[in-house]
Amino acid sequence: MDELIRILSYFVGIAAFLGLNLAYLGWVERKGAGHIQRRIGPKDVGPYGLLQPLADGLKLMSKQLVVPDNADRLLYMSAPVLAMVATVILFVTIPWGENLVPREFDYGLIMIFAVASAAGLSILLGGWASGNKYSLIAGTRAVSQSVAFEIPMLITAITIVMITGTMNLNEIIRSQSGMFWNWNVFALDKSILMPISFLVFFVCSMAEINRAPFDLGEAESELVAGYITEYGGMGFGLFMMAEYGNMMIGASLTTILFLGGWQCPFGLFPGPHWFLLKMYFLIWTIVWIRWTYPRTTLWGLLNLSWKYLIPFSLVNLLVTALFIKVF
Amino acid sequence: MTLLAQSQLQETFELNIGPQHPATHGVLRVKVIMDGEYIVKAEPVLGYIHRMHEKMGENRTWNQFWPNLGRLDYLSAIAYNHGYAGLLERAMGIEVPERAEYIRVITVELNRLQSHLLWFGAFILDLGGFTPLMYAFDEREQILDLLESVTGSRLTYCYFRFGGVYNDVDDDFITGTRAFIKRLRPQIPMYHDLVTKNVILMERLVDIGHISADMCRKYGATGPVLRGSGVNFDIRKNEPYSVYPELDFDVPVYHECDSMARYMVRMDEMEQSMRIIEQALDKMPDGPVKAEKAPKILKPPKGDYHFAVEAARGTFSMRTVSDATNTSYRMRLRSPTYSNLSLFEEASRGMLLSDALAFMGSLDLVIPEMDR
Amino acid sequence: MGTESISGIETSVPSSIVQFHMLDQLRALARANSLWPMTFGLACCAIEMMSAGAARFDLSRFGAEVFRPSPRQADLMIVAGTVNKKMLEPVKILYDQMTEPKWVIAMGNCAISGGPFKFKGQYNVIEGVDSFLPVDVYVPGCPPRPEALIEGILELEEKITGTRRWPRVKPETAVKG
Amino acid sequence: MLASEGLPPQKEVVEEVQAAEEGEVDPKAKKKEEEKPRENGLLETDYAKRGFHLDVQVNPDQVVRSAEILDSEGMTMEMVTGVDWLKDGQFEIVYDYSFTGGELFRVVVRCRVDREKPDVPTISEVFGGANWHERETWELFGINFVGHPQLERFLLPDDCDYYPLRKDFKL
């Protein structure tokens, strides 16, 4: 019974936290874009435009739902739901604080990678089911991208597992306790390539969640709106929310694996606030990059993965193994 | 589709880009046959904004045709004004006061600056970078303010008159222009730092969209496209008009023939435009801005007349057939992007879709000018 | 424009005995504050439309800067430029592809009446998009300044919600102040 | 202006070939198009007044040859256009060539065809850029460019059946 109450309260907590975040990350993005671009951004809808996400959400919910004629009705309707469900499930494993984790798995890392693949699938599904050529191209792009970047991401994650000896996310964080040089990103004594592998992981996570400069699935100037071309109203809204959700997951995962999760940089008062601080910093970095960089091409993207990231992550794996063996 | 054998058909598919598509900057439509992500054939379809400018040339009097020039190429409208003014001044033998010529050059070059700025932003937008557009627009608004103060409109200028300009510039304009150039000059190196040296941008522009000089010649491509292919051709130098011979400026030429070369040509042209404006401001004499003896009723002698100017996108030339009445018998407008785009079909063969759209952006298209 | 305020279509047509007036108003308010235009430029006016969204004029203050390239996600079609006979069908299709509720702003003289391209014997220009689209707000000008477009969007918001976003600036006070 | 700069080499070549082909060259021809259409031949024009240096009128079957000659000289096709001479019952097709290689030199080649049977060979084989110009001229005037690869509607809707720039066009 206690367990049930615990799960239910976490469910409510996560839903509220998630809803608030997904709405307001959109606001952060628009406001941030404004300030980066020499303008103000939303300001007249509520103080500092803070009611903007509510207006957008309410509007999207009250929009007409259209299923295009040549779309596959069932798949078309289920793709955004699938995207959102996968994202929400992912949040179950994230340890926000030492005891603040909805469900602690011993194999949390595997769980995350397993479910995260579904996000790519939902894009393919949405793209294919729309019956639109732009969406189809976007879907195929997203899948090849997803496949290409999952490999270096996984290999980099494996190095972390080798160092810490566990796949439990909370355990991984615990192993980084103490001052900030114990964090994996600075752990040069564990593997000399750690800072670079942090970058690799971060770049891969950005590519996995289809963010600029790797947003080839959406590619506004080429594919109209990519896989969401045919989605209006809440279908579009769900995809957008799933994207922000994935952004949070990507940032949290990077935080957990490399930045010491809920650990304080100076070994004092560890707790969820540190986790959130680090996660939001990474999210802001992702937003910042989006409004700064042009988009790559598909070929440039795949080249990056297959020619640079994968060989590098393999080298990284070997070097880490060597360090573990020798020291 | 008849161009493709049936066996090929099974591997390719047709994609219709436009007439409403973010990459076409208006209402251009491109019928693309694609093999995966590669383009087999891309055929531009025009006409979605055909506005009968040539027909209007025939049923409007010479003076009534002025507003059309502002609406042809709304981004370098003053250069188009210059083309029309030059045409009739050549036909009628009207002398233009020197001050008017300098004002013309200053406004045309300001207009060219804002056109290139907008292109810069829109081009990076094509490549997926959003922020440079806003920076470019911010600078552009300054130019629009200056031009508005002297011409009275923001975009579709109708400023020139036969034998001069409509309105004299005042001291505010001159000081404002100097201040603006002082402001813009350090911005361009900043753009180079922020944008040009970006790795992703280099990857997307270098060696993409190769156009040889001979291909340019066959298709009649002009302007930055031609100069990016290593041909030193600029109407301002090769067929001097107005007071350009008295001003010292360079024609930027790049020999790489790729999108990056065209990009660099335009970026360098902005600097040259600023040089021209500064010199023209220094040299501008006092005097009238409109020819005193300009006839009220225009009836050019019978015959053909031709006049070419360097607009922001290339050679804009006008050809008129006059039958000595107050309207033109035939008015032909040769727009630069019309010819520049006509090589797209040949040049885009075998390109990636995303590269082809970047290449199209590097041609700097303005659709209403193309469709006329 | 604006002499009589028309609140949303929902309130004028009673659908049932029970009226969710507050809810309707909230919905109208949400819609008015999140008008996403379609990236749909035809000619000269499109540049001024871009200007309106860009740094100086910044349409995003009113939450209307999200230019969606796909008609499915757009609420507002700004017909910015001349529509000719060849473009007529695509415009119609685009309008039909937009999801309800949707609004149309005719921006510029060409979209309102054919503008300078209307003359006797013209063969290609549609004289006014209101001949085939239900236009909500007309923004005159050739091209209209970005401020005019923003005013048009505010006017449309007034049409949706029935109230002005803030007290309208009266011409005489504007001159004094 | 032309005399002061010295005649560019293109001019002689054109003149020679035209002379060989037509047998009659009229270099001293003055403006006599007042009464009737001018005869075939070369006409040096005052650049400052007209905007081009050389004005050549040829028969329709010589259009391609002239394009080839100008192409071999490295000239660029700038535009192709038509003029409807309703009074004479003729269409005039005007080709503008310019030289982008350095020195300023502009040539106009024109030919006249009967209004009833407006056939003229295409030069799109020689200059790829002429393709669109000819297609547009066909569309707006109804001048038939024989051998053109794609004589379809271009600027106007596909179902148009009128030629709007003809002088007798009424909608």
Side-chain angles (χ1 to χ4, degrees):
Chain A
M1 193 61 198
D2 279 357
E3 180 70 9
L4 190 68
I5 290 170
R6 206 174 79 95
I7 286 185
L8 272 179
S9 59
Y10 270 120
F11 181 75
V12 172
I14 284 187
F17 176 71
L18 210 59
L20 208 65
N21 261 291
L22 301 190
Y24 277 90
L25 282 181
W27 177 83
V28 167
E29 178 141 5
R30 284 167 74 173
K31 199 78 183 166
H35 284 287
I36 288 172
Q37 295 167 352
R38 288 185 176 177
R39 54 193 180 92
I40 309 171
K43 100 173 217 300
D44 275 338
V45 187
Y48 303 103
L50 277 171
L51 295 180
Q52 189 65 57
L54 296 184
D56 285 345
L58 213 66
K59 181 207 72 176
L60 283 174
M61 276 181 227
S62 68
K63 277 283 245 189
Q64 179 193 14
L65 279 180
V66 176
V67 181
D69 248 4
N70 48 355
D72 187 317
R73 204 182 164 83
L74 182 70
L75 294 183
Y76 175 85
M77 298 297 260
S78 58
V81 179
L82 180 69
M84 196 61 202
V85 165
T87 308
V88 173
I89 287 178
L90 283 172
F91 277 90
V92 170
T93 56
I94 302 289
W96 305 98
E98 182 150 25
N99 299 314
L100 198 66
V101 47
R103 201 86 183 93
E104 196 168 335
F105 292 103
D106 277 348
Y107 297 99
L109 202 57
I110 288 190
M111 152 89 182
I112 284 194
F113 278 107
V115 180
S117 309
L121 182 70
S122 70
I123 290 178
L124 175 68
L125 208 61
W128 183 79
S130 298
N132 182 319
K133 281 172 188 165
Y134 290 119
S135 306
L136 185 64
I137 296 175
T140 55
R141 277 182 176 190
V143 167
S144 51
Q145 184 180 341
S146 173
V147 168
F149 279 88
E150 232 157 59
I151 298 167
M153 200 172 168
L154 263 172
I155 295 174
T156 317
I158 287 172
T159 59
I160 301 291
V161 173
M162 279 162 63
I163 289 169
T164 54
T166 174
M167 283 196 192
N168 184 326
L169 295 176
N170 236 341
E171 288 296 319
I172 291 176
I173 296 175
R174 274 190 205 109
S175 75
Q176 306 175 44
S177 64
M179 299 298 271
F180 62 87
W181 53 78
N182 286 343
W183 295 357
N184 279 337
V185 61
F186 302 119
L188 294 177
D189 55 328
K190 289 174 185 161
S191 160
I192 194 84
L193 294 173
M194 243 358 175
I196 307 176
S197 64
F198 162 71
L199 282 181
V200 169
F201 191 84
F202 189 54
V203 166
C204 289
S205 70
M206 237 153 60
E208 272 292 294
I209 56 185
N210 277 312
R211 287 292 293 190
F214 308 110
D215 58 340
L216 291 172
E218 220 182 306
E220 196 175 295
S221 58
E222 295 152 29
L223 300 178
V224 187
Y227 60 96
I228 41 176
T229 304
E230 292 289 343
Y231 284 96
M234 220 40 213
F236 167 73
L238 281 180
F239 266 126
M240 279 287 111
M241 279 161 76
E243 189 184 319
Y244 288 124
N246 288 335
M247 209 158 102
M248 283 171 75
I249 294 288
S252 327
L253 204 56
T254 316
T255 311
I256 292 166
L257 294 185
F258 288 95
L259 299 181
W262 36 260
Q263 302 279 9
C264 169
F266 314 108
L268 305 164
F269 315 115
H273 49 286
W274 287 113
F275 189 98
L276 293 181
L277 209 66
K278 292 167 192 171
M279 185 187 78
Y280 284 129
F281 174 73
L282 285 178
I283 288 178
W284 170 248
T285 313
I286 294 174
V287 169
W288 188 6
I289 288 173
R290 167 164 183 190
W291 297 110
T292 315
Y293 273 67
R295 187 183 303 116
T296 56
T297 58
L298 183 62
W299 265 216
L301 188 80
L302 298 183
N303 275 342
L304 176 71
S305 170
W306 293 100
K307 285 189 186 162
Y308 301 103
L309 295 185
I310 292 181
F312 171 79
S313 50
L314 286 171
V315 168
N316 182 25
L317 191 70
L318 288 176
V319 169
T320 315
L322 204 70
F323 264 67
I324 290 172
K325 191 74 193 161
V326 173
F327 302 110
Chain B
M1 292 300 270
T2 50
L3 287 167
L4 291 163
Q6 194 65 34
S7 60
Q8 265 183 314
L9 259 180
Q10 289 162 353
E11 293 169 9
T12 59
F13 65 100
E14 205 172 341
L15 189 69
N16 186 28
I17 299 177
Q20 184 262 336
H21 189 281
T24 55
H25 299 282
V27 286
L28 176 67
R29 175 174 164 217
V30 188
K31 276 197 279 189
V32 189
I33 297 171
M34 293 197 17
D35 182 2
E37 288 256 345
Y38 286 100
I39 287 177
V40 178
K41 184 172 182 291
E43 186 197 346
V45 181
L46 310 186
Y48 288 93
I49 193 76
H50 176 58
R51 299 195 282 191
M52 318 168 289
H53 285 289
E54 291 184 4
K55 183 79 182 172
M56 285 172 85
E58 292 173 19
N59 56 30
R60 301 272 150 127
T61 65
W62 296 103
N63 268 323
Q64 282 172 344
F65 192 59
W66 273 116
N68 286 54
L69 274 307
R71 280 147 189 85
L72 262 164
D73 179 352
Y74 42 74
L75 291 183
S76 65
I78 299 190
Y80 277 56
N81 273 264
H82 206 161
Y84 188 47
L87 180 78
L88 262 275
E89 280 153 14
R90 175 171 277 167
M92 304 276 295
I94 304 171
E95 286 288 323
V96 185
E98 211 181 348
R99 185 177 170 85
E101 290 283 22
Y102 277 102
I103 293 173
R104 283 181 177 185
V105 167
I106 292 166
T107 47
V108 165
E109 295 302 324
L110 277 175
N111 206 210
R112 190 190 313 277
L113 268 176
Q114 68 93 2
S115 170
H116 282 345
L117 275 172
L118 190 130
W119 165 82
F120 166 74
F123 181 45
I124 308 298
L125 184 64
D126 277 354
L127 303 174
F130 199 78
T131 304
L133 182 78
M134 294 296 177
Y135 276 65
F137 260 94
D138 196 18
E139 303 297 341
R140 194 174 159 267
E141 290 291 344
Q142 314 283 331
I143 303 181
L144 295 189
D145 278 351
L146 290 170
L147 287 177
E148 191 182 2
S149 74
V150 51
T151 65
S153 63
R154 273 170 58 88
L155 198 65
T156 50
Y157 306 105
C158 174
Y159 177 48
F160 289 13
R161 296 290 182 271
F162 301 121
V165 294
Y166 163 67
N167 193 8
D168 198 358
V169 299
D170 53 8
D171 289 342
D172 284 352
F173 174 80
I174 292 168
T175 50
T177 311
R178 284 190 200 278
F180 167 71
I181 287 181
K182 213 170 159 191
R183 174 190 155 139
L184 183 64
R185 192 155 268 157
Q187 299 278 327
I188 290 182
M190 186 186 87
Y191 291 156
H192 280 305
D193 280 351
L194 288 177
V195 178
T196 315
K197 291 175 188 163
N198 188 311
V199 186
I200 297 177
L201 193 88
M202 300 278 258
E203 178 204 339
R204 295 209 55 181
L205 297 188
V206 174
D207 287 337
I208 300 293
H210 193 274
I211 311 175
S212 66
D214 196 53
M215 196 193 221
C216 283
R217 186 177 69 80
K218 291 272 187 191
Y219 282 94
T222 46
V225 177
L226 185 63
R227 292 194 280 278
S229 297
V231 181
N232 186 348
F233 178 76
D234 188 317
I235 296 278
R236 288 175 293 174
K237 285 272 189 201
N238 290 51
E239 193 176 348
Y241 59 97
S242 194
V243 288
Y244 281 112
E246 288 158 39
L247 301 167
D248 178 35
F249 63 99
D250 301 326
V251 178
V253 177
Y254 282 78
H255 294 269
E256 287 83 7
C257 306
D258 55 3
S259 296
M260 195 65 183
R262 293 185 280 278
Y263 173 89
M264 288 307 291
V265 166
R266 291 200 180 88
M267 296 304 274
D268 288 1
E269 267 183 22
M270 285 203 249
E271 279 166 23
Q272 296 304 325
S273 286
M274 285 190 280
R275 267 181 77 190
I276 295 174
I277 294 168
E278 280 189 332
Q279 290 174 43
L281 284 172
D282 290 338
K283 287 189 175 178
M284 187 160 67
D286 283 336
V289 293
K290 224 174 163 186
E292 311 233 314
K293 285 180 283 182
K296 286 274 178 287
I297 298 159
L298 292 147
K299 284 184 181 169
K302 266 188 186 178
D304 291 23
Y305 302 97
H306 179 278
F307 193 80
V309 291
E310 184 75 20
R313 265 150 282 278
T315 306
F316 166 64
S317 61
M318 291 190 78
R319 143 176 292 286
T320 186
V321 180
S322 166
D323 58 349
T325 56
N326 61 354
T327 59
S328 170
Y329 189 76
R330 167 90 176 100
M331 180 83 78
R332 168 71 177 174
L333 310 152
R334 188 261 186 207
S335 54
T337 42
Y338 187 75
S339 297
N340 290 359
L341 183 71
S342 66
L343 52 74
F344 182 74
E345 183 169 343
E346 192 178 324
S348 69
R349 213 163 282 157
M351 264 188 194
L352 274 173
L353 176 69
S354 45
D355 283 344
L357 292 176
F359 166 53
M360 195 151 84
S362 79
L363 295 176
D364 191 8
L365 305 177
V366 169
I367 315 298
E369 170 217 32
M370 208 185 294
D371 285 356
R372 280 156 291 131
Chain C
M1 249 179 335
T3 48
E4 53 192 325
S5 61
I6 310 150
S7 52
I9 306 158
E10 295 84 9
T11 48
S12 60
V13 184
S15 53
S16 69
I17 301 165
V18 187
Q19 292 280 311
F20 294 98
H21 191 71
M22 287 295 283
L23 201 63
D24 279 346
Q25 268 198 337
L26 191 66
R27 195 172 58 169
L29 209 61
R31 284 172 177 172
N33 283 312
S34 152
L35 283 172
W36 293 359
M38 183 160 55
T39 319
F40 175 52
L42 289 165
C44 331
C45 295
I47 303 293
E48 291 296 66
M49 187 169 81
M50 282 162 81
S51 288
R56 183 184 287 185
F57 299 102
D58 198 12
L59 208 47
S60 73
R61 288 176 292 153
F62 310 104
E65 96 279 27
V66 191
F67 281 88
R68 293 305 306 174
S70 164
R72 300 270 185 226
Q73 296 136 21
D75 313 298
L76 170 63
M77 177 191 247
I78 301 176
V79 186
T82 323
V83 180
N84 67 12
K85 282 182 185 163
K86 199 167 177 175
M87 195 60 203
L88 178 63
E89 277 308 311
V91 175
K92 276 185 189 166
I93 292 172
L94 283 173
Y95 182 74
D96 290 343
Q97 280 177 336
M98 287 166 71
T99 47
E100 291 283 354
K102 51 192 172 185
W103 295 275
V104 178
I105 287 182
M107 181 186 182
N109 291 352
C110 291
I112 293 172
S113 69
F117 304 102
K118 180 181 177 179
F119 59 91
K120 200 163 167 281
Q122 63 95 353
Y123 58 89
N124 209 25
V125 164
I126 306 292
E127 295 176 0
V129 291
D130 47 6
S131 60
F132 64 98
L133 287 182
V135 178
D136 292 287
V137 176
Y138 297 87
V139 182
C142 190
R145 296 178 59 91
E147 294 98 320
L149 178 64
I150 292 174
E151 172 63 23
I153 286 175
L154 295 185
E155 200 75 44
L156 182 61
E157 289 181 0
E158 188 182 349
K159 185 175 174 178
I160 297 168
T161 58
T163 49
R164 180 77 182 178
R165 189 186 274 275
W166 52 65
R168 184 194 301 272
V169 180
K170 293 211 171 66
E172 55 268 28
T173 56
V175 169
K176 274 177 207 157
Chain D
M1 187 161 181
L2 196 66
S4 66
E5 287 183 355
L7 295 178
Q10 292 86 348
K11 201 220 151 211
E12 277 86 20
V13 178
V14 176
E15 199 163 7
E16 247 171 55
V17 174
Q18 295 297 340
E21 280 179 4
E22 294 165 29
E24 51 150 354
V25 185
D26 197 2
K28 291 186 287 298
K30 291 221 166 177
K31 289 182 208 162
K32 47 183 171 179
E33 57 261 24
E34 260 85 26
E35 293 84 30
K36 60 179 190 290
R38 80 173 233 240
E39 287 166 20
N40 287 354
L42 284 168
L43 197 65
E44 265 183 45
T45 47
D46 182 4
Y47 172 76
K49 276 218 176 102
R50 298 276 166 176
F52 39 84
H53 298 97
L54 197 61
D55 190 343
V56 186
Q57 177 151 335
V58 296
N59 283 329
D61 54 348
Q62 293 167 324
V63 164
V64 180
R65 183 81 190 101
S66 69
E68 281 167 2
I69 293 164
L70 292 164
D71 179 36
S72 65
E73 292 297 326
M75 307 263 305
T76 306
M77 195 273 328
E78 200 172 279
M79 58 179 150
V80 178
T81 185
V83 185
D84 181 8
W85 296 105
L86 186 63
K87 203 169 56 192
D88 305 332
Q90 281 181 322
F91 283 127
E92 183 177 355
I93 299 105
V94 187
Y95 302 81
D96 274 86
Y97 296 93
S98 67
F99 189 55
T100 53
E103 209 174 336
L104 168 65
F105 190 63
R106 288 190 180 274
V107 181
V108 177
V109 177
R110 54 182 87 221
C111 76
R112 290 198 171 217
V113 291
D114 207 22
R115 228 167 164 277
E116 302 302 312
K117 193 174 171 299
D119 288 346
V120 68
T122 173
I123 63 161
S124 58
E125 304 285 315
V126 187
F127 286 104
N131 186 322
W132 282 17
H133 287 273
E134 288 182 348
R135 202 169 147 194
E136 186 192 328
T137 311
W138 168 80
E139 173 169 54
L140 299 177
F141 284 95
I143 296 168
N144 185 22
F145 288 89
V146 180
H148 190 284
Q150 195 183 11
L151 230 42
E152 294 165 12
R153 283 285 166 192
F154 191 41
L155 295 180
L156 299 177
D158 288 335
D159 53 353
C160 273
D161 54 352
Y162 45 77
Y163 301 110
L165 284 188
R166 285 189 176 183
K167 286 286 170 188
D168 53 358
F169 164 74
K170 289 258 165 19
L171 196 69

